[in-house]
Amino acid sequence: MKGSFVFLADGFEETEALATLDVLRRGGIEAYLVSIDEEGMVTGSHGVTVAVDNTWDDFLSLLHRNGTEKQDLMVFPGGMPGTKNLAEHNGLMSLMREHY
């Protein structure tokens, strides 16, 4: 993966996602927002719509090219129904188990 990735699904908690991304980037860490589908925009649980850096397929291209290492970071913001939507994404859950 080579970096830090904040995975977003519709219904994510905006503060958990964006504050985390902000702190990582301010600290000089490469951090990216990733949609778990093919939409370039994801809407949070309070109606805030955010543009992502990568769609799921874009992210998979990076993953296949670079692999995953223990230094990589996967962030799963809370929020409802965002948490449920993340948990129902088989590809993301498989990757999480593999990375762990």
PDB file of all heavy atoms in Angstrom, residues 13 15 28-29 36 62 66-67 71 76 82 99:
ATOM      1  N   GLU A  13     -18.466   9.004   9.551  1.00  0.00           N
ATOM      2  CA  GLU A  13     -18.426  10.115  10.510  1.00  0.00           C
ATOM      3  C   GLU A  13     -17.395  11.127  10.015  1.00  0.00           C
ATOM      4  O   GLU A  13     -16.197  10.829   9.966  1.00  0.00           O
ATOM      5  CB  GLU A  13     -18.063   9.598  11.905  1.00  0.00           C
ATOM      6  CG  GLU A  13     -17.835  10.677  12.931  1.00  0.00           C
ATOM      7  CD  GLU A  13     -18.983  11.659  13.071  1.00  0.00           C
ATOM      8  OE1 GLU A  13     -20.149  11.229  13.178  1.00  0.00           O
ATOM      9  OE2 GLU A  13     -18.704  12.878  13.064  1.00  0.00           O
ATOM     10  N   THR A  15     -16.024  13.966  11.135  1.00  0.00           N
ATOM     11  CA  THR A  15     -14.922  14.413  11.995  1.00  0.00           C
ATOM     12  C   THR A  15     -13.860  13.330  12.142  1.00  0.00           C
ATOM     13  O   THR A  15     -12.658  13.615  12.075  1.00  0.00           O
ATOM     14  CB  THR A  15     -15.450  14.841  13.378  1.00  0.00           C
ATOM     15  OG1 THR A  15     -16.394  15.897  13.185  1.00  0.00           O
ATOM     16  CG2 THR A  15     -14.320  15.319  14.269  1.00  0.00           C
ATOM     17  N   GLY A  28       3.266  15.156   8.019  1.00  0.00           N
ATOM     18  CA  GLY A  28       4.149  14.782   6.926  1.00  0.00           C
ATOM     19  C   GLY A  28       3.979  13.358   6.436  1.00  0.00           C
ATOM     20  O   GLY A  28       4.834  12.833   5.728  1.00  0.00           O
ATOM     21  N   ILE A  29       2.871  12.727   6.801  1.00  0.00           N
ATOM     22  CA  ILE A  29       2.610  11.347   6.392  1.00  0.00           C
ATOM     23  C   ILE A  29       1.741  11.363   5.142  1.00  0.00           C
ATOM     24  O   ILE A  29       0.741  12.092   5.075  1.00  0.00           O
ATOM     25  CB  ILE A  29       1.920  10.577   7.529  1.00  0.00           C
ATOM     26  CG1 ILE A  29       2.866  10.488   8.726  1.00  0.00           C
ATOM     27  CG2 ILE A  29       1.477   9.190   7.066  1.00  0.00           C
ATOM     28  CD1 ILE A  29       2.227   9.962   9.979  1.00  0.00           C
ATOM     29  N   ILE A  36     -14.870   3.151  -1.015  1.00  0.00           N
ATOM     30  CA  ILE A  36     -14.940   1.689  -1.172  1.00  0.00           C
ATOM     31  C   ILE A  36     -15.722   1.286  -2.413  1.00  0.00           C
ATOM     32  O   ILE A  36     -15.898   0.105  -2.679  1.00  0.00           O
ATOM     33  CB  ILE A  36     -15.519   0.996   0.074  1.00  0.00           C
ATOM     34  CG1 ILE A  36     -16.953   1.413   0.316  1.00  0.00           C
ATOM     35  CG2 ILE A  36     -14.624   1.244   1.278  1.00  0.00           C
ATOM     36  CD1 ILE A  36     -17.701   0.516   1.285  1.00  0.00           C
ATOM     37  N   LEU A  62      -2.885   0.417  -6.944  1.00  0.00           N
ATOM     38  CA  LEU A  62      -1.739   0.753  -6.097  1.00  0.00           C
ATOM     39  C   LEU A  62      -1.321  -0.443  -5.255  1.00  0.00           C
ATOM     40  O   LEU A  62      -0.138  -0.727  -5.102  1.00  0.00           O
ATOM     41  CB  LEU A  62      -2.085   1.911  -5.158  1.00  0.00           C
ATOM     42  CG  LEU A  62      -2.329   3.274  -5.763  1.00  0.00           C
ATOM     43  CD1 LEU A  62      -2.865   4.235  -4.701  1.00  0.00           C
ATOM     44  CD2 LEU A  62      -1.054   3.824  -6.369  1.00  0.00           C
ATOM     45  N   ASN A  66       2.310  -2.200  -5.339  1.00  0.00           N
ATOM     46  CA  ASN A  66       3.202  -1.942  -4.214  1.00  0.00           C
ATOM     47  C   ASN A  66       3.117  -2.942  -3.069  1.00  0.00           C
ATOM     48  O   ASN A  66       3.968  -2.935  -2.188  1.00  0.00           O
ATOM     49  CB  ASN A  66       2.942  -0.541  -3.653  1.00  0.00           C
ATOM     50  CG  ASN A  66       3.270   0.543  -4.642  1.00  0.00           C
ATOM     51  OD1 ASN A  66       4.224   0.429  -5.390  1.00  0.00           O
ATOM     52  ND2 ASN A  66       2.477   1.587  -4.668  1.00  0.00           N
ATOM     53  N   GLY A  67       2.083  -3.763  -3.012  1.00  0.00           N
ATOM     54  CA  GLY A  67       1.941  -4.683  -1.893  1.00  0.00           C
ATOM     55  C   GLY A  67       1.583  -3.963  -0.607  1.00  0.00           C
ATOM     56  O   GLY A  67       1.223  -2.803  -0.604  1.00  0.00           O
ATOM     57  N   GLN A  71       4.220  -1.068   8.012  1.00  0.00           N
ATOM     58  CA  GLN A  71       4.211   0.373   8.233  1.00  0.00           C
ATOM     59  C   GLN A  71       2.973   1.051   7.647  1.00  0.00           C
ATOM     60  O   GLN A  71       2.685   2.194   7.971  1.00  0.00           O
ATOM     61  CB  GLN A  71       5.465   1.024   7.637  1.00  0.00           C
ATOM     62  CG  GLN A  71       6.743   0.603   8.303  1.00  0.00           C
ATOM     63  CD  GLN A  71       7.322  -0.679   7.711  1.00  0.00           C
ATOM     64  OE1 GLN A  71       6.754  -1.296   6.821  1.00  0.00           O
ATOM     65  NE2 GLN A  71       8.458  -1.083   8.227  1.00  0.00           N
ATOM     66  N   PHE A  76     -10.459   3.188   9.492  1.00  0.00           N
ATOM     67  CA  PHE A  76     -11.871   2.922   9.230  1.00  0.00           C
ATOM     68  C   PHE A  76     -12.712   3.832  10.129  1.00  0.00           C
ATOM     69  O   PHE A  76     -12.993   3.480  11.270  1.00  0.00           O
ATOM     70  CB  PHE A  76     -12.204   1.458   9.529  1.00  0.00           C
ATOM     71  CG  PHE A  76     -11.340   0.480   8.792  1.00  0.00           C
ATOM     72  CD1 PHE A  76     -10.231  -0.073   9.405  1.00  0.00           C
ATOM     73  CD2 PHE A  76     -11.618   0.133   7.488  1.00  0.00           C
ATOM     74  CE1 PHE A  76      -9.419  -0.976   8.728  1.00  0.00           C
ATOM     75  CE2 PHE A  76     -10.817  -0.773   6.795  1.00  0.00           C
ATOM     76  CZ  PHE A  76      -9.717  -1.319   7.423  1.00  0.00           C
ATOM     77  N   GLY A  82     -22.094   4.240   7.818  1.00  0.00           N
ATOM     78  CA  GLY A  82     -20.779   4.063   7.209  1.00  0.00           C
ATOM     79  C   GLY A  82     -20.037   2.839   7.717  1.00  0.00           C
ATOM     80  O   GLY A  82     -19.449   2.093   6.938  1.00  0.00           O
ATOM     81  N   HIS A  99      -3.698  -7.730   5.974  1.00  0.00           N
ATOM     82  CA  HIS A  99      -2.758  -6.738   6.477  1.00  0.00           C
ATOM     83  C   HIS A  99      -2.465  -6.961   7.961  1.00  0.00           C
ATOM     84  O   HIS A  99      -1.339  -6.860   8.401  1.00  0.00           O
ATOM     85  CB  HIS A  99      -3.291  -5.330   6.253  1.00  0.00           C
ATOM     86  CG  HIS A  99      -2.374  -4.251   6.715  1.00  0.00           C
ATOM     87  ND1 HIS A  99      -1.165  -4.014   6.124  1.00  0.00           N
ATOM     88  CD2 HIS A  99      -2.487  -3.346   7.717  1.00  0.00           C
ATOM     89  CE1 HIS A  99      -0.562  -3.013   6.740  1.00  0.00           C
ATOM     90  NE2 HIS A  99      -1.338  -2.598   7.716  1.00  0.00           N
TER      91      HIS A  99
END
